[in-house]
Amino acid sequence: MTLLRLIDLEVRYGAIRALQDVNVDVSEGEIVALLGANGAGKTTTLRTISGLARPVKGSVQFAGREIHRLPPHEVVGLGIGHAPEGRRIFPQMSVLENLEMGAYRRRGDLHQDTERVYSLFPVLKQRRRQDGGTLSGGEQQMLAIGRALMSAPRLLLLDEPSMGLAPLVVETIFSIISEIRKTGTTILLVEQNAAQALALADRAYVLENGRVVMADKARTLLNNERVRAAYLGEGAA
Amino acid sequence: MTLSGAAASTLPGAQAPPQGPVTGQPRLSWLRRLMGSEDARRLLSCVLGLLVLAVMTGPEGSASAPLSGFTGSLFHLRALVFIGLGFVLWAVITLRRRFGERARQASDWVSSAPRRLVTNRQARYGIYLALLAFAVVYPMVLSQFWQNVLVDQIGIYVLLALGLNVVVGYAGLLDLGYIAFYALGAYSAAYWTGALAVHPPITLNPFWAIPLAILAAMLAGVVLGAPTLRLRGDYLAIVTLGFGEIIQIVATNLQGVTGGASGPASVIPHFSVHVLGVHYRWGLADLPYYYLLLGFVVIVLVVFHSLENSRVGRAWTAIREDEIAAESAGINVLKYKVLAFSIGASTSGFAGMLWASQVGYIDSTLFTVQLSILVLVLVIFGGMGSLPGAVVGAAVLQWFPWFLRVHPLFGFQQQDLFIYLGALLIVMMIFRPEGLLPSRRRKREIGLAEHGIGTADAMSEPGGEP
């Protein structure tokens, strides 16, 4: 079943056209990757889904409902968790407080949810009383993902979880992402690290200058000449 | 030439300047060597700075003796006092540079001492009660003058600072038109008690006018806030600044209603109680008004304290720390900003209402931008986001000018007040930018902002928003 559908999406920042005719489908239980160079429109796509940016044309449908006119906090309420670009944790709040902020729209006992996040990221449990700002980059990324999970999302948007992290840490985070999928959460992943993203994802879209230029199974793209040359750093210079 | 040579010689690890024959003026080489020391240069600038302050605040020159402004300040005991202050400032700066980290730790240690000493709840409530008892008893022994200062200058401003603290300190919004709501509260009080030229449907006792004044200010806050709080920091400041001006100009020009710059013709009545055969009127005496204010301040403190530690307070913290992150965490950012803004507005309106009824007279010239900025200064001076900070900051800064007026130190003149206050604030911002009694979280935020990790807060530099 299709969980998320972007139809002919066009987004502008003033005179600049950031996205044009973008069509993306994400089915329940999938991991879908959005690949592309800087400025290709990957982050804008995620921001449009979560309501932080408004499309001038096209629509965003989530679980059969149009959501592109909703404000961000209502989008979260519908079940879309967003771990934004650059992590954006609350630096002066403790790890636990950060996680609680993620569940701001939910009432009731959060114990089970925090325990679930702690079981995915044991290091966060150790640091639960520490300020978010004092964590290492990798731990902050884990916290950002954990915070997004606290809203109990059906769809998790991850914006460059590997950015600025050591290869070993990236590996840990990617293996946790596939753990998250096993618990039934659908994931839309934006990455520059194409090799790793394609190894993890079921399907992928390649964006160039705000347009989708390729869409296929991840394994197929991994063997695609053009993708290999442009994003996997192989072949022609 | 002298200075550049000196700068080179103070660079650590730099080669000593050529000691050989100095070209130019060999006679000045002693000066050059002296100025080569960073301490000496700093001392010189401290003393010169304070001398400038002495001249600025000294007697004015006149047409017949144009230089008397200088001579009267410099050839006078004042000059010595100010030079002395220059030395003190230099000593503080030097000590701070030498023992900067330790000095900071020491001052933090002192300011956080109460928090550490009183860890258990009961003891803390005991201390609150003791402070309250002090606030109740102490004014009784004060002279009439100080009782008046306590009501007019301190009590009202504590209330104003507490309200603005919600806007600036909790939600991180910069409001420069804060006094407009104060004016609205004051004029609502005048209207509902029948003091304006336009009469209300029913004339009320000031007590009944309180909720109406609060409501008017709160509505104005919502109406102004809902469209403008979508804007970020600097823009909001400009909009609120404009709003403050509009309210003042309207109050001035709407002569037929407000009485303009000369105020309403009739007196705004004092508070009075007529319940169950008990009749009491708050008259011209200050002490009863003080207790009334104290009661309201305590209520406001309790309400704001519980707000700070509620869901709402945490939403404000999140918005202040990172608005985008707060949005993607599912917080309705606009709603909570409007809430903070209108809570601040209604507190301001409340203060205006109380003040109007106590003084009995208002006019449009009282509600100036300077007053908005003064309240902002009180909040920043006390420590943003901290209730004790707002109270202590307002009390100290409002007390200080009156202290100077009663005990004029070294030729203090009233019209120079803002020069001294400005100097005090500059020193404060250098040595303790987080304010007298900052909230723990706010303080760390300011520390981070200094290291360039700040976020899109109205009070800090705009972050790298996409």
Side-chain angles (χ1 to χ4, degrees):
Chain A
M1 191 195 105
T2 309
L3 186 61
L4 177 81
R5 174 168 279 168
L6 311 183
I7 303 163
D8 297 331
L9 213 55
E10 178 170 334
V11 177
R12 287 167 176 273
Y13 293 129
I16 300 161
R17 191 179 284 153
L19 292 182
Q20 200 180 354
D21 300 325
V22 168
N23 288 282
V24 170
D25 281 339
V26 180
S27 298
E28 191 117 45
E30 268 190 317
I31 296 185
V32 173
L34 290 180
L35 308 177
N38 273 333
K42 310 185 296 290
T43 294
T44 303
T45 310
L46 290 198
R47 288 173 57 88
T48 311
I49 296 167
S50 63
L52 291 165
R54 295 258 168 268
V56 292
K57 230 172 70 189
S59 77
V60 180
Q61 295 182 354
F62 178 70
R65 198 179 148 183
E66 279 208 343
I67 61 164
H68 59 271
R69 287 189 196 86
L70 297 181
H73 59 271
E74 286 183 29
V75 174
V76 176
L78 289 177
I80 299 183
H82 189 175
E85 187 182 26
R87 316 195 243 283
R88 286 190 173 270
I89 52 144
F90 301 113
Q92 298 306 314
M93 292 191 189
S94 71
V95 167
L96 181 59
E97 285 173 319
N98 263 282
L99 292 178
E100 285 169 354
M101 290 316 297
Y104 193 80
R105 293 190 64 79
R106 301 170 53 209
R107 311 254 168 179
D109 192 17
L110 298 173
H111 185 74
Q112 267 193 323
D113 301 81
T114 40
E115 281 306 318
R116 177 180 167 221
V117 171
Y118 287 154
S119 69
L120 283 168
F121 305 104
V123 65
L124 293 185
K125 185 164 191 175
Q126 287 169 29
R127 306 214 185 282
R128 63 188 180 279
R129 301 207 184 289
Q130 215 170 305
D131 274 359
T134 64
L135 300 183
S136 73
E139 289 161 355
Q140 289 191 10
Q141 186 59 59
M142 294 177 192
L143 181 54
I145 298 175
R147 187 180 62 190
L149 282 175
M150 286 298 286
S151 66
R154 289 172 74 185
L155 172 67
L156 180 63
L157 309 177
L158 298 176
D159 199 339
E160 301 228 14
S162 73
M163 188 159 68
L165 300 181
L168 207 63
V169 182
V170 174
E171 217 150 281
T172 314
I173 285 184
F174 272 74
S175 76
I176 293 169
I177 293 173
S178 70
E179 286 295 310
I180 295 171
R181 185 253 290 268
K182 280 182 199 149
T183 64
T185 309
T186 310
I187 293 167
L188 180 58
L189 169 75
V190 154
E191 260 300 334
Q192 289 212 18
N193 188 337
Q196 215 125 17
L198 287 173
L200 177 74
D202 302 310
R203 291 187 305 115
Y205 292 80
V206 179
L207 288 171
E208 261 170 35
N209 299 319
R211 290 168 182 275
V212 175
V213 292
M214 266 183 273
D216 214 328
K217 288 211 164 67
R219 206 168 306 143
T220 320
L221 286 175
L222 208 49
N223 296 318
N224 181 300
E225 288 290 312
R226 243 181 94 192
V227 172
R228 293 184 79 92
Y231 302 107
L232 299 176
E234 291 176 18
Chain B
M1 153 106 196
T2 322
L3 278 182
S4 65
S9 72
T10 53
L11 282 176
Q15 286 195 339
Q19 292 294 325
V22 180
T23 52
Q25 307 104 327
R27 273 157 195 276
L28 284 178
S29 64
W30 63 269
L31 182 64
R32 183 174 176 166
R33 207 169 309 135
L34 182 65
M35 288 296 103
S37 140
E38 207 182 327
D39 283 334
R41 270 181 290 146
R42 196 172 295 119
L43 177 60
L44 188 69
S45 36
C46 284
V47 169
L48 284 180
L50 265 290
L51 276 179
V52 169
L53 189 62
V55 173
M56 280 167 74
T57 59
E60 287 172 37
S62 63
S64 54
L67 285 180
S68 65
F70 286 96
T71 53
S73 305
L74 296 179
F75 304 114
H76 194 270
L77 185 65
R78 274 173 65 78
L80 283 182
V81 172
F82 277 85
I83 290 173
L85 282 177
F87 271 92
V88 170
L89 185 62
W90 170 78
V92 171
I93 294 176
T94 309
L95 286 177
R96 194 180 121 95
R97 287 183 74 88
R98 291 276 151 75
F99 308 104
E101 205 36 53
R102 251 180 291 171
R104 182 154 280 269
Q105 280 165 7
S107 82
D108 287 348
W109 188 83
V110 171
S111 71
S112 68
R115 209 175 275 144
R116 262 176 299 110
L117 292 176
V118 191
T119 44
N120 97 37
R121 249 185 129 88
Q122 276 166 330
R124 187 172 301 164
Y125 284 119
I127 288 192
Y128 290 157
L129 278 181
L131 283 173
L132 186 62
F134 175 76
V136 168
V137 176
Y138 180 61
M140 293 180 187
V141 303
L142 288 174
S143 68
Q144 181 141 32
F145 173 83
W146 282 111
Q147 287 179 352
N148 184 256
V149 167
L150 209 51
V151 174
D152 261 14
Q153 300 298 321
I154 297 181
I156 292 284
Y157 283 85
V158 163
L159 206 51
L160 281 171
L162 282 173
L164 189 60
N165 180 51
V166 172
V167 184
V168 175
Y170 290 170
L173 307 166
L174 185 49
D175 181 356
L176 293 181
Y178 184 65
I179 231 61
F181 304 109
Y182 181 71
L184 279 173
Y187 280 111
S188 315
Y191 174 71
W192 286 106
T193 55
L196 293 189
V198 178
H199 291 289
I202 27 164
T203 307
L204 299 174
N205 178 303
F207 269 115
W208 294 112
I210 291 178
L212 292 168
I214 291 179
L215 195 68
M218 183 177 264
L219 278 180
V222 172
V223 168
L224 179 68
T228 56
L229 287 169
R230 293 165 203 275
L231 306 173
R232 273 175 211 285
D234 324 4
Y235 303 104
L236 179 69
I238 292 166
V239 169
T240 52
L241 189 66
F243 180 68
E245 287 295 291
I246 289 171
I247 290 289
Q248 198 193 2
I249 291 170
V250 167
T252 306
N253 291 340
L254 216 59
Q255 284 252 352
V257 179
T258 63
S262 45
S266 31
V267 171
I268 301 162
H270 291 298
F271 282 97
S272 56
V273 176
H274 311 277
V275 185
L276 304 171
V278 181
H279 293 279
Y280 184 78
R281 247 179 83 78
W282 273 262
L284 290 169
D286 289 304
L287 211 51
Y289 260 103
Y290 170 76
Y291 289 121
L292 190 65
L293 265 177
L294 182 66
F296 286 136
V297 166
V298 169
I299 292 172
V300 166
L301 274 173
V302 170
V303 171
F304 286 2
H305 180 73
S306 52
L307 262 182
E308 185 184 359
N309 296 308
S310 70
R311 254 174 89 75
V312 176
R314 290 206 296 151
W316 285 334
T317 307
I319 292 168
R320 196 175 69 213
E321 289 200 9
D322 193 327
E323 206 175 312
I324 301 273
E327 256 182 322
S328 28
I331 294 169
N332 186 343
V333 169
L334 185 63
K335 177 176 123 190
Y336 285 106
K337 280 163 111 181
V338 171
L339 187 66
F341 196 71
S342 55
I343 287 176
S346 48
T347 313
S348 182
F350 184 29
M353 191 276 143
L354 290 172
W355 177 75
S357 164
Q358 194 249 332
V359 179
Y361 167 83
I362 48 173
D363 72 63
S364 66
T365 61
L366 299 164
F367 308 108
T368 55
V369 188
Q370 278 97 314
L371 209 51
S372 290
I373 291 171
L374 174 66
V375 179
L376 182 64
V377 166
L378 300 180
V379 172
I380 294 173
F381 181 81
M384 281 187 286
S386 140
L387 292 174
V391 175
V392 174
V396 169
L397 265 196
Q398 287 295 101
W399 160 84
F400 182 60
W402 297 91
F403 170 78
L404 282 181
R405 188 174 281 189
V406 177
H407 310 279
L409 304 170
F410 23 92
F412 168 78
Q413 291 167 306
Q414 187 58 33
Q415 69 266 30
D416 300 333
L417 175 64
F418 281 97
I419 300 181
Y420 293 108
L421 280 186
L424 174 67
L425 287 177
I426 290 172
V427 170
M428 181 83 185
M429 287 303 110
I430 293 171
F431 293 110
R432 207 172 160 79
E434 67 272 16
L436 278 184
L437 298 171
S439 76
R440 263 181 293 180
R441 213 191 286 275
R442 248 320 195 174
K443 182 174 165 181
R444 281 175 294 167
E445 279 166 24
I446 288 169
L448 280 187
E450 278 183 350
H451 293 99
I453 323 179
T455 52
D457 181 324
M459 302 301 294
S460 58
E461 290 294 304
E465 296 297 333

